[in-house]
Amino acid sequence: MRVAIAGAGAVGRSIAGELLENGHEVLLVDKNPTSISVERVPQAEWLLADACEITSLDEAALQRCNVVIAATGDDKVNLVVSLLAKTEYGVPRVVARVNNPKNEWLFNESWGVDVAVSTPRLMSALVEEAVSVGDLVRLLRFSQGDANLVELTLPEEAALVGTRVGDVEWPTDTSLVTIIRGNRVLTPAKDDALEAGDELLFVAAPHREEQLEDLLSVQETDGE
């Protein structure tokens, strides 16, 4: 898979390193000469250019990329890169970094963004996940399809503990994609039984999140 990353700062270089380790082709693009540090990610291709300009993106051959990641520290730049990647070059998947959470509402399909990643929101979500059990935590927002990646740790007293995945009537517009159990990452099968402490990752429509949280919560009994 060929991936172009706009922004060769610490975030862009870190993403590039991970992708290269997984066997992907990576092109880093940045207009700042001081950011062109080939020795830091020598396996990547490097391009000194303004990713907001069509001529630069032509030089980067963006039409050959499977994914474009707009990872600069400027939300305006990330939006322009995303829009150009999607509309001018038909890049199948565009991922954009949101620096200011107040701008998150802009990072949607109309700007060519498939996945918006807000670092402050993600960090706060991970903190919430660490301190809460039974509360739904929103990790990522997928612009296309109006869906979120959400996580919920199944409480010990939840009614669904011990229930087979295939026997649960999940809300519509939700999909259980992964069960994290200890050090294991499980692909859910209908015969898998849910266990207390399971971290359940769903792709869910925003208007179904409350229903999903209620389903997986501890149900109070009438006698209490």
Side-chain angles (χ1 to χ4, degrees):
M1 184 169 67
R2 182 171 175 80
V3 182
I5 302 173
V11 173
R13 293 195 305 270
S14 177
I15 297 169
E18 292 285 342
L19 292 171
L20 287 163
E21 285 184 10
N22 290 324
H24 302 296
E25 298 178 32
V26 176
L27 169 65
L28 281 160
V29 182
D30 204 297
K31 67 177 182 180
N32 188 346
T34 61
S35 296
I36 305 299
S37 304
V38 178
E39 69 280 358
R40 294 191 179 186
V41 194
Q43 305 95 328
E45 298 176 44
W46 290 78
L47 178 63
L48 176 61
D50 187 345
C52 290
E53 295 183 359
I54 291 289
T55 53
S56 300
L57 300 181
D58 284 343
E59 188 177 354
L62 226 62
Q63 69 277 3
R64 294 197 294 111
C65 293
N66 306 99
V67 179
V68 165
I69 301 173
T72 78
D74 188 325
D75 285 343
K76 297 187 294 296
V77 171
N78 291 342
L79 285 171
V80 171
V81 170
S82 298
L83 184 63
L84 292 175
K86 184 65 70 174
T87 59
E88 297 296 325
Y89 298 92
V91 177
R93 192 159 188 79
V94 177
V95 179
R97 171 188 177 188
V98 185
N99 295 279
N100 187 342
K102 292 181 180 179
N103 296 330
E104 190 172 9
W105 66 276
L106 288 166
F107 286 73
N108 55 36
E109 186 177 4
S110 63
W111 278 94
V113 179
D114 296 309
V115 181
V117 182
S118 172
T119 304
R121 179 181 292 277
L122 182 56
M123 291 180 70
S124 64
L126 292 172
V127 171
E128 289 178 35
E129 178 191 358
V131 299
S132 62
V133 172
D135 294 331
L136 184 142
V137 178
R138 187 178 298 120
L139 298 177
L140 292 175
R141 178 173 59 83
F142 300 96
S143 298
Q144 287 190 346
D146 191 24
N148 297 321
L149 176 67
V150 299
E151 182 271 350
L152 189 142
T153 299
L154 195 62
E156 187 174 347
E157 302 85 3
L160 289 184
V161 171
T163 305
R164 295 166 64 248
V165 170
D167 292 337
V168 180
E169 293 187 15
W170 302 108
T172 56
D173 302 322
T174 67
S175 177
L176 175 63
V177 293
T178 303
I179 300 174
I180 301 175
R181 182 174 296 161
N183 294 325
R184 301 171 61 200
V185 178
L186 308 176
T187 301
K190 64 179 181 179
D191 291 328
D192 290 335
L194 298 173
E195 297 183 6
D198 280 352
E199 291 185 52
L200 308 177
L201 270 67
F202 296 87
V203 173
H207 64 281
R208 296 294 183 185
E209 291 178 3
E210 184 175 353
Q211 187 178 352
L212 185 62
E213 188 172 17
D214 289 342
L215 176 66
L216 296 165
S217 65
V218 177
Q219 303 295 323
E220 295 185 2
T221 61
D222 294 337
E224 295 182 350

